[in-house]
Amino acid sequence: MALRALKFASLTAAASGIYLYGNKFLDPNDFGVVRVGRAIATTAVITYDYLTSLRSVPYGSEEYEFLKSQVHLRSAERLRELCCSNRGTFIKVGQHLGALDYLLPEEYTRTLKVLHSQAPQSTRQEIEQVIREDLGKEVLLLVVKQIFPDFEFMWLVEEAKKNLPLELDFLHEGRNAEKVAHMLKNFDFLKVPRIYWELSTSRVLLMEFMEGGQVNDRAYMERNGINVNEISRNLGKLYSEMIFVNGFVHCDPHPGNVLVKKCPASGKAHIILLDHGLYQVLSESFRMDYCRLWQALIKADMKRVQKYSRRLGAGDLYPLFACMLTARSWESVNRGIDQSPVSASEDMEIRSNAAAYLPQITQLLNNVPRQMLLLLKTNDLLRGIESALHTRASASSFLNMSRCCIRAVSTYQRSKSHSLYRRAQISLTEALSLWQINLYELFLWLKGSQLGNWVIALLRRMQHFTY
């Protein structure tokens, strides 16, 4: 034990010496042990606060609910301060938690939302030093392993830690931005900042300046005449195309990275996609299983839900997996997730079950493919946006997903077929399926429009005269 401590102290001293040699100041946050200590202390304080503040109060009473809300708020503020102090991956986790409106208590999400747009910033001196180093001379980079405490959502921390080097390589981010802009060029409502390559390096990225309101800011959209349902629908189109058709997915759509703005010239609402450091590339087999699983979920085909959930590693926990993917109760999944919006009682049930099934959730996250983890994070962030805009579980979002799944599966089947007749058959089936979706969408539009009401009233009157 003493020898291990001596080795750790020697390593720390060596790392400190190298760091101090290349820098004129010492920041305690550059040492993992400081962040670990701070995280452990924060966890201990939060735990103690919950245990002592609620211990002598009758469960379920008004006083209990009031005190619980106060403890939630204090704990959320402590977590926010921890994220701001430890920075790096902790900021990423905090941003994710702040978007889970449908899952976490409001005190947590409201407090942690600050990290979407007001995360700690580097000083001008630090930015200028990075620019001088990367644009003027070679630099010796010291990579130091980070030690992260074991707390809830540890899977997210591990994934963020693994992907952080890619996120910090700005040339990689620039290439991702250009790739997704080209890949989704048919969506005229999508705007991706232009990259100025001649002034960019792996540590400096100069891009076009774009501004707008955050995608979860419903008040901003109403002030600027932006259709909330249109934004939610178009965001769903973007991500369905990325996930199901292309298998190249922007995995950090927290509200600070997705802006909306109305174009003064055309009057159209644009979605501005920022921060292209974190993408997930899906394998073809994974993407096909995921497509077929969502098709089964939309059709409420429980046999296929079980089949493709198991193929994606869920095992016997496939009902929980289906609920996690859809953010709906098992009853709603069985009935059909497109049949009804999320009710207040269902929302409360989801929140309660999330805490009750935490061990099973942890087991599930350990079993599914690593590709699934970032998709689950992305799903959580998108559900949080939909929740803030009050557009969760809209029929249009499921229709867009269905279109993309049909196109993706048909393209895959054609690529594997060597028969001209079979490829023609697949294309005809695809066209018919897409036509059925278009017809159903037209029916929904008529049903909700004034014209539709007139047509229905006319048909009823004609039926009355017939009899």
Side-chain angles (χ1 to χ4, degrees):
M1 186 70 180
L3 182 60
R4 187 181 303 171
L6 180 60
K7 287 182 179 178
F8 178 76
S10 300
L11 180 61
T12 304
S16 303
I18 296 172
Y19 182 84
L20 287 169
Y21 179 78
N23 296 273
K24 294 182 174 57
F25 61 91
L26 175 64
D27 184 353
N29 287 304
D30 289 307
F31 295 99
V33 66
V34 174
R35 288 193 294 277
V36 172
R38 189 182 288 128
I40 291 173
T42 301
T43 304
V45 171
I46 289 174
T47 302
Y48 182 78
D49 195 1
Y50 274 103
L51 289 174
T52 56
S53 299
L54 303 175
R55 183 169 51 193
S56 57
V57 184
Y59 177 80
S61 64
E62 289 186 12
E63 183 183 5
Y64 180 91
E65 294 301 322
F66 174 77
L67 289 176
K68 184 175 70 172
S69 176
Q70 296 300 305
V71 178
H72 282 339
L73 182 59
R74 289 196 298 269
S75 301
E77 289 172 345
R78 288 171 182 135
L79 279 180
R80 184 189 61 200
E81 292 305 314
L82 172 65
C83 292
C84 291
S85 298
N86 280 6
R87 299 180 297 188
T89 306
F90 285 83
I91 293 290
K92 292 290 182 184
V93 176
Q95 288 172 337
H96 183 199
L97 297 179
L100 301 182
D101 298 85
Y102 70 92
L103 185 60
L104 297 179
E106 181 189 1
E107 294 85 354
Y108 278 88
T109 55
R110 186 176 67 243
T111 303
L112 294 173
K113 271 183 171 64
V114 173
L115 299 175
H116 292 153
S117 57
Q118 300 178 36
Q121 300 177 355
S122 300
T123 64
R124 183 182 180 88
Q125 179 184 2
E126 291 169 332
I127 294 172
E128 288 176 349
Q129 180 173 338
V130 171
I131 292 174
R132 282 196 303 271
E133 288 175 347
D134 267 55
L135 296 182
K137 61 181 180 178
E138 294 184 358
V139 187
L140 176 63
L141 300 178
L142 174 65
V143 180
V144 181
K145 287 187 178 181
Q146 308 285 339
I147 304 173
F148 289 82
D150 187 12
F151 62 96
E152 300 302 341
F153 292 90
M154 193 60 199
W155 65 271
L156 179 60
V157 178
E158 290 298 331
E159 285 301 302
K161 183 172 64 173
K162 183 183 72 177
N163 289 292
L164 200 56
L166 288 178
E167 292 190 71
L168 296 178
D169 179 353
F170 291 150
L171 293 179
H172 173 77
E173 177 173 349
R175 288 190 291 270
N176 284 344
E178 289 194 340
K179 179 175 179 177
V180 80
H182 177 74
M183 188 177 80
L184 303 176
K185 62 184 178 182
N186 292 331
F187 293 121
D188 59 356
F189 58 82
L190 173 65
K191 300 298 174 185
V192 177
R194 174 191 169 194
I195 308 299
Y196 296 95
W197 290 109
E198 66 276 11
L199 296 172
S200 299
T201 75
S202 61
R203 296 177 72 199
V204 179
L205 185 66
L206 187 63
M207 67 180 73
E208 177 185 4
F209 175 73
M210 291 185 171
E211 60 182 341
Q214 290 190 0
V215 71
N216 65 340
D217 192 342
R218 188 182 178 96
Y220 170 87
M221 296 187 207
E222 291 173 350
R223 286 196 308 270
N224 290 274
I226 297 174
N227 188 313
V228 172
N229 290 315
E230 180 186 353
I231 291 295
S232 182
R233 184 167 58 250
N234 286 343
L235 188 62
K237 285 181 181 178
L238 287 179
Y239 271 87
S240 291
E241 193 79 16
M242 282 192 273
I243 293 170
F244 300 115
V245 177
N246 295 286
F248 185 69
V249 190
H250 180 289
C251 286
D252 203 13
H254 68 70
N257 286 342
V258 186
L259 307 181
V260 294
K261 186 177 183 180
K262 191 169 186 176
C263 177
S266 65
K268 291 184 177 180
H270 291 159
I271 293 178
I272 303 168
L273 198 57
L274 306 176
D275 194 352
H276 298 270
L278 183 59
Y279 274 75
Q280 177 69 68
V281 178
L282 307 179
S283 68
E284 188 174 63
S285 60
F286 176 92
R287 185 165 58 89
M288 286 301 102
D289 284 341
Y290 196 62
C291 280
R292 289 177 170 122
L293 173 57
W294 269 105
Q295 286 180 309
L297 286 166
I298 292 170
K299 295 177 180 177
D301 185 342
M302 290 300 106
K303 287 185 178 179
R304 287 168 63 86
V305 167
Q306 180 177 355
K307 174 183 176 180
Y308 289 108
S309 294
R310 289 183 180 278
R311 288 183 63 163
L312 289 168
D316 292 336
L317 294 174
Y318 71 91
L320 177 61
F321 185 52
C323 293
M324 288 172 63
L325 281 178
T326 59
R328 301 298 299 269
S329 67
W330 181 237
E331 181 183 348
S332 293
V333 171
N334 275 275
R335 187 171 59 243
I337 54 178
D338 62 337
Q339 296 301 308
S340 61
V342 182
S343 64
S345 60
E346 183 181 3
D347 193 50
M348 184 61 67
E349 179 186 348
I350 293 169
R351 289 172 184 266
S352 302
N353 286 343
Y357 287 98
L358 190 56
Q360 290 85 350
I361 292 173
T362 302
Q363 179 185 345
L364 185 58
L365 294 176
N366 286 329
N367 292 342
V368 296
R370 297 298 92 182
Q371 297 173 80
M372 180 61 71
L373 295 181
L374 282 180
L375 281 189
L376 287 169
K377 174 197 170 186
T378 303
N379 278 347
D380 284 343
L381 293 171
L382 292 174
R383 297 294 176 270
I385 292 170
E386 290 177 348
S387 180
L389 298 180
H390 306 142
T391 58
R392 279 182 65 195
S394 64
S396 62
S397 66
F398 294 121
L399 291 175
N400 288 325
M401 289 175 67
S402 295
R403 285 192 182 96
C404 287
C405 288
I406 290 168
R407 286 168 49 212
V409 171
S410 298
T411 300
Y412 171 77
Q413 289 175 336
R414 278 193 296 268
S415 71
K416 299 299 180 183
S417 175
H418 301 292
S419 165
L420 183 62
Y421 172 76
R422 175 58 183 154
R423 288 200 294 269
Q425 188 180 42
I426 292 167
S427 296
L428 179 60
T429 303
E430 176 188 10
L432 287 174
S433 298
L434 293 174
W435 180 79
Q436 286 178 331
I437 291 175
N438 291 338
L439 192 62
Y440 181 60
E441 190 171 40
L442 176 62
F443 166 75
L444 291 178
W445 178 81
L446 285 172
K447 185 179 177 182
S449 68
Q450 187 64 40
L451 176 61
N453 291 331
W454 289 342
V455 171
I456 291 172
L458 179 61
L459 290 174
R460 285 176 177 170
R461 184 171 298 179
M462 291 174 62
Q463 185 181 27
H464 175 72
F465 287 143
T466 301
Y467 289 102

